[in-house]
């Protein structure tokens, strides 16, 4: 299939992950695009990075200037309105499906909580969306309840952890990584829940009391 993806968050391309930190939605876009390409699909990703190129079979393109007439980017808008493609995956943007994109299947990939104040905007676009994607089952229910959407129209996909980014670093620095103990990775910002792992009677505390060998890796 011919798949187009739009990710208008932090600037990135297929080479960013190996060089610097990247936000969760951008990382998810990178990994999903890479895996879709591995399965034989043609994938083009539009981002806010002006450094274009092909990485691991995925074509990365600058989405262009974001204007009132083209909030998704001038270059992306021209492309998506005039180039037939099988699947369009739009991340996060509240105006993602105001336009008549030339896609057979349209997916809106949410990474933020549904806000009641956006209900009117969302309702106006539902006719143009085949499926809403969320990052967890909890998020799926929250979106459906907030915007009064049938659960059948929302599908949860999960963000994963690329262990290959860490294995060699940890193995070189700490032989304990090679043990069979339970390994927990925390990759979010500290204020997003780290305290639940390390506080009194937190997850690590309870694992220790249950005599389950575990080690927590906090990744920056």
């Amino acid at each position: 299939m011919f798949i187009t993806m739009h990710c208008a968050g932090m600037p990135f391309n297929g080479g960013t992950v190996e060089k610097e930190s990247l936000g969760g939605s951008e990382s998810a876009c990178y990994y999903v695009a890479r895996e879709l390409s591995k399965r034989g699909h043609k994938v083009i990703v539009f981002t806010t990075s002006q450094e274009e190129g092909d990485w691991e079979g995925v074509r990365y393109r600058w989405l262009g200037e974001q204007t009132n007439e083209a909030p998704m980017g001038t270059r992306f808008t021209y492309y998506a309105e005039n180039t037939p493609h099988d699947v369009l995956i739009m991340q996060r943007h509240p105006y993602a499906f105001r336009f008549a994109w030339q896609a057979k299947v349209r997916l809106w990939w949410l990474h933020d909580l549904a806000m009641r104040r956006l209900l009117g905007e969302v309702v106006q676009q539902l006719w143009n969306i085949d499926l809403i994607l969320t990052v967890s089952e909890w998020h799926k229910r929250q979106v459906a309840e907030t915007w009064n959407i049938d659960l059948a129209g929302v599908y949860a996909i999960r963000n994963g952890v690329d262990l290959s980014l860490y294995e060699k670093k940890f193995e070189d620095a700490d032989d304990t990584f090679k043990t069979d103990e339970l390994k927990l990775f925390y990759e979010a910002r500290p204020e997003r829940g780290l305290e639940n792992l390390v506080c009194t009677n937190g997850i690590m505390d309870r694992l220790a009391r249950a005599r389950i060998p575990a080690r927590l890796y906090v990744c920056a």
Side-chain angles (χ1 to χ4, degrees):
M1 290 191 295
F2 193 2
I3 301 172
T4 302
M5 302 179 70
H6 180 281
C7 183
M10 297 171 61
F12 79 98
N13 55 41
T16 304
V17 168
E18 295 183 356
K19 298 183 295 184
E20 56 190 90
S21 61
L22 194 58
S25 57
E26 294 85 2
S27 299
C29 180
Y30 162 76
Y31 282 108
V32 168
R34 187 184 73 174
E35 296 307 310
L36 287 171
S37 176
K38 286 181 179 180
R39 295 189 177 202
H41 302 295
K42 293 180 62 177
V43 184
I44 181 169
V45 178
F46 285 87
T47 76
T48 54
S49 172
Q50 296 189 36
E51 183 182 353
E52 301 183 323
D54 292 5
W55 283 268
E56 299 177 284
V58 179
R59 179 170 297 178
Y60 284 84
R61 293 293 180 264
W62 178 42
L63 54 79
E65 298 290 342
Q66 293 172 280
T67 65
N68 289 334
E69 295 75 21
M72 304 299 115
T74 53
R75 298 179 72 204
F76 167 81
T77 298
Y78 181 82
Y79 172 90
E81 286 185 335
N82 295 281
T83 307
H85 46 288
D86 295 304
V87 180
L88 174 61
I89 304 173
M90 300 284 285
Q91 272 199 358
R92 304 179 73 176
H93 204 293
Y95 306 147
F97 289 96
R98 276 185 174 183
F99 307 90
W101 310 124
Q102 291 296 313
K104 296 176 183 176
V105 176
R106 304 172 184 88
L107 309 179
W108 191 24
W109 193 1
L110 300 179
H111 290 260
D112 308 291
L113 293 179
M115 306 297 288
R116 190 72 182 175
R117 59 183 170 81
L118 292 176
L119 177 60
E121 187 66 51
V122 171
V123 168
Q124 293 178 40
Q125 298 177 74
L126 285 178
W127 68 273
N128 203 25
I129 302 171
D130 292 293
L131 192 65
I132 294 175
L133 306 178
T134 61
V135 298
S136 69
E137 290 294 334
W138 181 92
H139 190 206
K140 171 182 176 177
R141 293 191 298 273
Q142 192 269 339
V143 167
E145 292 170 4
T146 302
W147 290 334
N148 194 28
I149 297 173
D150 192 317
L151 280 172
V154 188
Y155 183 81
I157 61 175
R158 295 181 295 174
N159 291 341
V161 176
D162 182 3
L163 291 178
S164 68
L165 293 174
Y166 306 109
E167 284 177 339
K168 189 174 189 307
K169 292 183 177 66
F170 284 127
E171 286 176 355
D172 289 346
D174 188 353
D175 284 340
T176 60
F177 191 80
K178 301 174 184 178
T179 67
D180 293 331
E181 65 186 358
L182 178 65
K183 300 173 181 65
L184 287 81
F185 282 76
Y186 185 88
E187 294 191 312
R189 293 161 59 111
E191 67 268 23
R192 291 181 174 175
L194 181 58
E195 62 180 325
N196 296 312
L197 285 153
V198 298
C199 67
T200 302
N201 201 36
I203 293 172
M204 297 305 294
D205 198 359
R206 281 180 277 168
L207 286 172
R209 290 203 303 271
R211 299 186 181 278
I212 298 175
R215 183 176 294 263
L216 173 63
Y217 294 88
V218 179
C219 308

